[in-house]
Amino acid sequence: MTQTRPPVQTIPAPPPAPTTRTDQPYEYRRSLLAEPDWTRFPGWRDVTRDQWESAQWQRVNCVKNIKQLRTVLGTTVDDTFYADLEADQNALATMSMLVTPQMINTMVPFAELTTDALLADPIRRYMIPVASDRRTDWPSHPYATRDSLHEHDMWVAEGLTHRYPTKVLAELLSTCPQYCGHCTRMDLVGNSTPTVDKLKLTLKPVDRYDAHIGYLRAHPGVRDVVVSGGDVANVPWRNLESYLMRLLEIETIRDIRLATKALMGLPQHWLQADVVEGLERVARTAARRGVNLAIHTHVNHAQSLTPLVARAAQTALDLGVRDVRNQGVLMRGVNATSTDLLDLCFALQGEAGILPYYFYMCDMIPNAEHWRVPVWHAQQLQHDIMGYLPGYATPRIVCDVPFVGKRWVHMVTDYDRERGISYWTKNYRTSIESADLEALSKRYAYYDPIDTLPEEGRQWWRVHRDA
């Protein structure tokens, strides 16, 4: 008897395996902090380590003008750079030149210093801007203003801005150890320039501080004080400590944040014996009274982080400061790529002990369009940096909307991409809106840089620039 075999089943060959991609959009590589060799600059060839680590030496040797910059750089940079810089200072700069040696030393830190290298350097681009950096088609947005966030309009005492219901900004003074070209407080901070005649604080410091303390005692709904300026590193320590101790005597104050770019730009200040001893007294008092004391600094690029910066941050933490956090600013040509932001955040969190906290979109001040990024670009950056950093060290990218305040960039209510106009809402009244019944139902506009718009949008602004 013949047996019938079942039909043979043909198993199709598996499809070819797809090409395996092991690379990622961002590849993390640990990079240890290093202090660049300041003696590579002709003007600092004989500077000793003791001098370099002296806050007094750093302050005395700040670069305030082109002549002093020439002395530092020697012949490494040609005359075209200085002509470019002079043109900017005479017609475009909103901040006068003031750069610490510490900051200059992080420009072109590990390569040959040439004119092209200096022009391309991200730290130079916002600390020593030149005319060729800026846009000639739209140097300023039509809605750019000197006090773009209207902080002065919300003063409840000289230098005390009550913008949020539970928080105030205390501007103790109008100077810094160094001046950033993109300063949001260019209306008040620093020396006047040919472009900007600065406002002035008129009260004596003691009277200004008394007015602040008096207001806070009378308004128990305020629990959080950002102590700023200017930069608190320019307040004589005994005066700053007295102010902070008076804040700590107010039972309703539960958070105090010290704003100081000097932690990065002049770490030598925060390592001085009198400052260290005084900060420990303040931190100990804050801990005893259950007040959260933090330092907020302002680092925009990984190049700025050096062992001295890390030492200053760690010293503050060792003394009892609860957190050292970073608030950077997004700027084209400086850090507006996901790689730049991630490199910076890993250096902050992993190497310097500084928590990445916020990145602000650059504010709408005059002559800043070459730095600003559109809202959609900020949204893309927030998307692109997610998932690489620990959650607690992933910074929020925020838009500081005039009359609204800080908003995560994805919180936009409506967005006209063609004209670059985004619309935002808010959930509180500022100190100048107590009588405005519609404040919480309005939509508030923010504007993208016009050069980033499609041609139709740019043409619309050409027609409506004065509307």
Side-chain angles (χ1 to χ4, degrees), residues 29-30 63 95 126 135 224 241 264 278 347 367-368 375 428:
R29 295 287 186 273
R30 185 178 182 188
V63 170
M95 300 297 291
Y126 78 92
R135 300 201 64 85
D224 183 353
E241 183 173 348
M264 175 274 291
N367 296 336
V375 169
Y428 56 84

Side-chain angles (χ1 to χ4, degrees), residues 18 58 102 166 206 237 246 262 269 284 296 323 363 392 410 433 442:
Q58 289 277 330
Q102 176 75 23
T166 61
V206 63
W237 179 260
R246 293 175 73 186
H269 169 83
R284 189 165 55 241
H296 282 197
D323 289 301
D363 290 321
Y392 69 89
H410 286 85
E433 295 171 316
K442 291 179 181 177

Side-chain angles (χ1 to χ4, degrees), residues 50-51 74 88 107 109 173 224 234 264 308 313 399 410 435 454:
D50 285 344
Q51 288 175 308
D88 191 76
M107 299 176 190
L173 76 173
D224 183 353
N234 269 20
M264 175 274 291
L308 271 175
C399 182
H410 286 85

Side-chain angles (χ1 to χ4, degrees), residues 40-95:
R40 73 188 188 281
F41 292 98
W44 295 333
R45 282 195 178 127
D46 298 323
V47 174
T48 66
R49 180 168 295 278
D50 285 344
Q51 288 175 308
W52 189 261
E53 295 188 359
S54 161
Q56 182 180 4
W57 185 92
Q58 289 277 330
R59 289 183 186 272
V60 167
N61 289 278
C62 279
V63 170
K64 302 176 184 177
N65 53 55
I66 293 175
K67 180 180 178 181
Q68 292 175 344
L69 187 61
R70 280 183 180 272
T71 298
V72 172
L73 302 182
T75 59
T76 59
V77 174
D78 63 39
D79 287 342
T80 61
F81 174 82
Y82 298 111
D84 204 357
L85 175 56
E86 184 175 18
D88 191 76
Q89 291 190 331
N90 289 341
L92 299 167
T94 59
M95 300 297 291

Side-chain angles (χ1 to χ4, degrees), residues 2 44 167 172 237 302 378 414 427:
T2 305
W44 295 333
K167 300 182 284 187
L172 300 192
W237 179 260
D414 198 6
N427 58 333

Side-chain angles (χ1 to χ4, degrees), residues 425-440:
T425 58
K426 65 179 183 177
N427 58 333
Y428 56 84
R429 291 180 175 84
T430 66
S431 59
I432 60 174
E433 295 171 316
S434 58
D436 186 352
L437 299 179
E438 298 180 353
L440 304 188

